[in-house]
Amino acid sequence: MANCKLGLYALLALCGLLGLSSVGAYKVGVGRADITGPPVEINFMGYANIKQIGRGLHTRTFARAFVVEDEKGHRVAFISADCGMMGYGLKREVVKRLQARYGNIYTTENVAISGTHTHGAPGGFLMHLLYDISILGFVTQTFEAMAQGLYLCIKRANDNMVDGRIFFAKTIVLNANINRSPTSYLRNPVEERAQYEHDVDKTLTQLRFVDKENNLLGAFNWYAVHATSMNNTNKLVTSDNMGYAALLLEKEYNPNKMPGKGKFVGAFCSSNLGDVSPNIMGPKCSISGNECDLLSSHCPPGEGECFASGPGRDMVESTQIIGQRLAEGALSLLNEQSQESTAREVTGDVRFIHQFVDMPKYNGSTYNPLSRKLDRIRGCQPAMGYSFAAGTTDGPGAFSFEQGTTTDNPMWNFVRDFIVPPTQEDVKCHEPKPILLATGRATFPYEWQPKIVSNQILKIGDVILAAVPCEFTTMAGRRLRNQIRAAASAAGGIDTEVIIAGLTNIYSSYTVTPEEYQAQRYEAASTIFGPHTHTIYMDVFEHLTKAMMRNETVDAGPSPPYMNDVMLSLNTGVLFDGHPIGTDFGYVKTQPLKEYGINDTVKATYISGNPRNNLFTEKTYFTVERKINEDRWKITYTDASWETKMVWHRTNTILGFSELDIYWNISPQTLPGEYRIRHSGEYKYILGGKYPYEGLTHSFTVKED
């Protein structure tokens, strides 16, 4: 009997060494918070379109977090945020706020913050000139709204921690993504491509969190697709397809709650989406409707731009369709009765590892299977290629640039050299990329693109999250997953599931495979550290994985520079608000009709202040209310609801007049009855101070269908 007990202890000790701790030994918590920035007068981040200036709000943007702690007290936190990507200055601020409250429980090493990659949210928070220049610089209001919301969602997850369990599952979701650079993908070895059925990843991967009574707490889902169903003509803040999927999932498990409210947290997170588009109808010439040239994504003169479209009649319906398909995939895994449910319990300890890497200074070697020799690899100073300016089929660029450009142009070289010329070493390092912007050599007024990047791994049992600081293409992500899986097996002796968490902690554009780099389409031209970028990441993450599995420490690496005190901005604040004589703020200029039916759209117009005066964080600019009885009205929709939107416009710039249009699309699920719309806002007085106001429409009837 004693020998049996000794054997059991030995087995448990061995399990601990291998990261296979006992079942159900986690504390888990989930949280959500509003991170909506200024919805008007600020450019959106994503398409780099100077004309894409916010004019209102379709859906609020949220950050969703989970926190996991094992029985030894090892803890990790992961956030998926409805934003284009993450900036390190923002992460540093979030960690600073967490440490002010919780001490050193949360650090740079165990907190990962990933962006969903929506291109429909206000920018100005990345703190690198190239990424903020189309937003006209740094936007304090965006940064603060995001910093506080990111902090708050982890705080809520932390404060909600309970004894719980974690389940892992995955399913295939078809008709939700396509490869937007298929000719580049074909550059990868045929024997490698033969291992995969599709040229994009179709697998939706889910972590489900439950308490010890098996009550569902949250579900985080990773899927590789750009959040670009809403194109660059959109001017209303939106969380796009990934955010809509999250709203649908949360609505399912938070019945009778407004969007962004309720205990269940459902997130859809970015993965290796670099070359992956939701516009599954493919690219066509916008005027003629003919096919674009596959290699250059170019249309003949007179046939318009090469633009890809989604499955819907317009971009809004396309967003709904893609979001619905993602949500259905996640729901099929959560439904234990479904044939799609393949969930298994996650067991094992929690670990994490992190390292900053100065990419231009990286020197290493890699085995070349063709030459059977070790090749020297090094990073280049950051630079963007010509095809970067061509844009993508999700959002075409400007001038006459074409994707796949591998030769330079004297005129554009002159423009480039006027800004800052690359060195001959830069030109050679980046070949065959012709350099359009030598961003690594530009230092005025501050860094244009990062040189130091964050590389991080979170391990929860036998699930590994690889937090990458950019957009990995499909094959680049597949190779990295395989490399990490092999390294974990070699160093720890366990089989793991590896998830690529994209656009995490700091943004450094794209990473393609060395083969794809030769094609120099948009993604390759935006691989800023040169042709060995992916090989370097493979090397770094292999080293980090082995060190983590062996419980070894690694050098922290050089920290990114602190640039908060040198940020510049050309964005002006709100000077003052005014209203026409005979009206006041909140006055309903256009009342709704007296009666509506299902699928009708209600519109009300208010005399308003500037929405930037108050972001109504965790609140709402307006409510749609249904009459319950003579004394009570119930809120049925808010500005976070998919069925509503608000559009703001200036009517007199000199006098500061503006109006706000509120729209409500009456869905088939709407109950008949008496309704009204209430708008809340703030105006800025010309002599100083901000003051609240409110406006209320008359009541109107929604009749039965």
Side-chain angles (χ1 to χ4, degrees), residues 5 54 111 137 183 201 206 233 260 264 273 303 312 336 342 349 359 389 404 416 479 519 607:
K5 184 181 285 189
V111 173
T183 55
D201 285 342
Q206 181 183 92
T233 65
F264 173 82
L273 51 68
E303 294 195 23
E336 293 184 342
T342 57
D349 66 357
M359 294 292 280
R416 173 199 70 194
R479 289 184 190 176
I607 303 298

Side-chain angles (χ1 to χ4, degrees), residues 283-293 298-307:
K284 299 282 193 304
C285 296
S286 58
I287 295 175
S288 67
N290 293 329
E291 299 282 342
C292 311
D293 179 72
H298 184 69
C299 292
E303 294 195 23
E305 292 184 310
C306 182
F307 223 113

Side-chain angles (χ1 to χ4, degrees), residues 23-90:
V23 174
Y26 299 119
K27 287 189 178 296
V28 298
V30 295
R32 180 198 314 104
D34 185 0
I35 58 169
T36 310
V40 303
E41 297 186 317
I42 300 297
N43 293 73
F44 289 170
M45 177 60 207
Y47 290 114
N49 185 339
I50 198 72
K51 297 179 181 179
Q52 196 184 14
I53 303 171
R55 289 189 55 205
L57 182 67
H58 185 195
T59 59
R60 283 192 172 263
T61 54
F62 295 98
R64 298 170 172 91
F66 68 75
V67 174
V68 177
E69 181 180 280
D70 67 13
E71 57 189 352
K72 297 178 182 177
H74 301 150
R75 181 180 299 200
V76 294
F78 178 84
I79 300 177
S80 177
D82 290 331
C83 59
M85 59 286 292
M86 190 44 50
Y88 183 69
L90 191 51

Side-chain angles (χ1 to χ4, degrees), residues 113-402:
I113 310 177
S114 170
T116 62
H117 209 35
T118 176
H119 287 41
F125 60 90
L126 288 175
M127 293 185 164
H128 283 97
L129 188 69
L130 186 69
Y131 302 135
D132 284 347
I133 196 168
S134 63
I135 291 92
L136 304 182
F138 183 70
V139 181
T140 302
Q141 198 173 30
T142 304
F143 184 91
E144 177 56 33
M146 293 182 67
Q148 184 60 20
L150 293 167
Y151 156 75
L152 190 58
C153 76
I154 289 187
K155 177 185 179 298
R156 288 172 174 167
N158 181 93
D159 297 348
N160 289 336
M161 290 178 74
V162 295
D163 291 332
R165 301 163 72 190
I166 305 170
F167 292 86
F168 174 91
K170 51 188 177 182
T171 188
I172 300 298
V173 177
L174 301 175
N175 300 318
N177 58 359
I178 62 169
N179 196 306
R180 70 185 187 189
S181 288
T183 55
S184 291
Y185 179 85
L186 290 174
R187 294 266 187 148
N188 295 303
V190 62
E191 62 273 15
E192 182 180 37
R193 289 185 279 113
Q195 299 173 38
Y196 304 97
E197 183 179 356
H198 304 284
D199 61 1
V200 294
D201 285 342
K202 301 285 186 180
T203 302
L204 182 144
T205 304
Q206 181 183 92
L207 287 181
R208 181 205 315 176
F209 302 90
V210 300
D211 64 18
K212 60 184 179 181
E213 282 81 33
N214 212 37
N215 296 309
L216 187 60
L217 302 175
F220 281 64
N221 307 272
W222 286 264
Y223 190 80
V225 67
H226 260 73
T228 51
S229 290
M230 300 294 290
N231 64 39
N232 62 17
T233 65
N234 168 56
K235 295 182 180 180
L236 302 182
V237 173
T238 174
S239 54
D240 212 285
N241 47 41
M242 301 288 268
Y244 181 60
L247 292 178
L248 290 176
L249 191 61
E250 291 181 335
K251 184 177 181 180
E252 183 74 19
Y253 292 99
N254 294 322
N256 304 316
K257 297 289 186 181
M258 291 298 104
K261 308 297 180 183
K263 292 182 178 180
F264 173 82
V265 175
F268 287 79
C269 319
S270 64
S271 192
N272 52 320
L273 51 68
D275 53 355
V276 189
S277 171
N279 296 308
I280 59 176
M281 302 309 292
K284 299 282 193 304
C285 296
S286 58
I287 295 175
S288 67
N290 293 329
E291 299 282 342
C292 311
D293 179 72
L294 268 177
L295 291 173
S296 66
S297 295
H298 184 69
C299 292
E303 294 195 23
E305 292 184 310
C306 182
F307 223 113
S309 60
R313 290 167 295 181
D314 55 34
M315 61 182 174
V316 176
E317 187 178 58
S318 292
T319 303
Q320 285 184 282
I321 292 171
I322 298 298
Q324 180 75 44
R325 289 171 182 172
L326 295 177
E328 287 172 353
L331 283 166
S332 73
L333 295 176
L334 292 172
N335 180 1
E336 293 184 342
Q337 310 306 316
S338 169
Q339 292 182 351
E340 296 294 322
S341 181
T342 57
R344 63 167 182 80
E345 186 158 6
V346 175
T347 60
D349 66 357
V350 170
R351 301 182 190 183
F352 53 86
I353 196 165
H354 179 278
Q355 186 177 55
F356 290 115
V357 173
D358 190 330
M359 294 292 280
K361 294 182 179 179
Y362 191 91
N363 284 281
S365 60
T366 185
Y367 178 72
N368 187 328
L370 297 178
S371 65
R372 297 183 180 180
K373 295 180 180 179
L374 287 177
D375 287 347
R376 178 173 172 267
I377 58 171
R378 66 187 182 104
C380 307
Q381 289 289 333
M384 302 296 275
Y386 271 55
S387 297
F388 151 74
T392 71
T393 54
D394 290 334
F399 305 106
S400 58
F401 291 100
E402 295 182 8

